[in-house]
Amino acid sequence: MSRLEGKVALVTGAARGQGRAHAVTLAREGAEIVAVDLDRQIDTVPYDTAREQDLQQTVAEVEALDRRIVARTADVRSSEQLAAVVEEGLATFGHIDALVANAGVFSQAPLWEMDEQTWDDVVDVNLKGAWRTMKAVVPHMIERRTGSIVLTSSVNGFRGNPGAAHYAASKHGVLGLMRSAALELGPHRVRVNAVCPGLIDTPMTNWPGLYDRMAGHPGGDRADFERAALHYGILGGVGALPPEVIADAAAWLASDGAWAVTGQAIVVDAGHLELPGFNPAPLQP
């Protein structure tokens, strides 16, 4: 029997990248899926955000595994939209056993040049969106006295990110939210953990501005990204990680095999955090 047989999992940001990997991996492990993503561009995000056709591709991949899925466009910046999706998921499946609050966005600018909308969009999706999603599903888990919540943080939940202070702040915040929620929900037998990815190969990391950053100069390309990615871990020959490795960790956390694990930040980064890092702006002699 698959380790999530009979369970239902809600996944946000499920249209592509890490979110799609979560939905498909959880389905492969036996879970039915409630999938959420938005269907429009966030203006301050410098790469294309998800669209309905991306979400429908997730639906097709889940259904190919002979699992059921409820997929709806919704914005994690809207409590009303999230509540409606949870209500539909409960009406369809009767229960929601696991939440993977994965929705997230990235942008970059020096903090003193960043406008407030850019800051707000990243924090509103990455941190407040995780809280809103938990708020929508937690009362049901408390009522049933069971549940597993997995929040997506990052290695930037432990380290600063020069040029993306808002992103690092949001991911540090996710860990604070996770630890606080684990304390609050533990007495109700609801577990709360976080996965902390390193450099993952998704649409969030494949766009010209990020290529330039990886190359160290304007005009960077995919080859520069792949070459630089080899320096982001300590495992020989391993560059940007596939999103499925994060999904494998989340699936374990959602399973009964992790029944005694709560309040933990599970790092999946090929050893990135063990590296001494780099100085982005060394003083000149």
Side-chain angles (χ1 to χ4, degrees):
M1 180 180 292
S2 299
R3 57 184 170 173
L4 297 179
E5 195 74 35
K7 296 185 183 293
V8 178
L10 168 62
V11 181
T12 65
R16 61 185 193 178
Q18 283 189 50
R20 180 183 291 167
H22 285 306
V24 172
T25 299
L26 293 168
R28 184 174 292 114
E29 290 290 341
E32 316 283 9
I33 305 298
V34 180
V36 172
D37 215 320
L38 80 174
D39 181 29
R40 66 184 185 85
Q41 185 65 33
I42 298 176
D43 292 339
T44 62
V45 174
Y47 53 88
D48 290 339
T49 44
R51 295 294 188 272
E52 172 67 23
Q53 58 266 32
D54 299 313
L55 189 56
Q56 290 308 311
Q57 179 60 36
T58 299
V59 170
E61 294 189 24
V62 168
E63 290 181 339
L65 296 168
D66 199 27
R67 308 314 301 176
R68 293 182 294 164
I69 179 170
V70 170
R72 296 291 179 264
T73 56
D75 193 329
V76 297
R77 294 172 295 178
S78 168
S79 293
E80 293 77 14
Q81 292 179 26
L82 288 168
V85 172
V86 168
E87 183 177 350
E88 183 174 359
L90 291 174
T92 302
F93 299 120
H95 52 96
I96 295 176
D97 306 278
L99 164 64
V100 180
N102 164 81
V105 293
F106 176 84
S107 57
Q108 54 188 22
L111 64 89
W112 61 92
E113 296 178 2
M114 189 181 302
D115 61 75
E116 288 196 28
Q117 192 62 56
T118 299
W119 177 281
D120 288 347
D121 283 344
V122 164
V123 174
D124 204 11
V125 173
N126 296 4
L127 176 54
K128 198 171 179 181
W131 166 73
R132 288 190 193 95
T133 312
M134 292 173 64
K135 186 176 172 67
V137 77
V138 156
H140 168 72
M141 292 181 171
I142 289 175
E143 182 180 358
R144 296 182 68 229
R145 290 188 57 78
T146 185
S148 171
I149 296 171
V150 181
L151 308 182
T152 298
S153 181
S154 168
V155 291
N156 291 142
F158 299 92
R159 286 182 176 175
N161 188 334
H166 56 337
Y167 184 80
S170 74
K171 294 304 186 179
H172 276 71
V174 166
L175 293 184
L177 173 62
M178 177 272 291
R179 291 177 176 124
S180 300
L183 290 167
E184 290 189 31
L185 296 176
H188 303 283
R189 299 295 296 271
V190 176
R191 300 181 295 106
V192 189
N193 296 285
V195 287
C196 301
L199 180 63
I200 310 298
D201 195 358
T202 70
M204 182 185 286
T205 57
N206 281 275
W207 54 282
L210 203 285
Y211 288 167
D212 291 351
R213 184 174 184 175
M214 299 290 276
H217 56 74
D221 57 20
R222 173 71 188 186
D224 292 309
F225 171 83
E226 292 176 352
R227 189 161 42 248
L230 295 171
H231 297 276
Y232 274 68
I234 59 177
L235 297 176
V238 175
L241 300 172
E244 289 76 14
V245 301
I246 311 302
D248 286 341
W252 175 69
L253 289 170
S255 75
D256 293 341
W259 69 270
V261 180
T262 194
Q264 301 304 304
I266 307 300
V267 178
V268 185
D269 68 345
H272 174 74
L273 285 179
E274 299 306 314
L275 292 170
F278 68 102
N279 184 348
L283 293 175
Q284 301 299 314

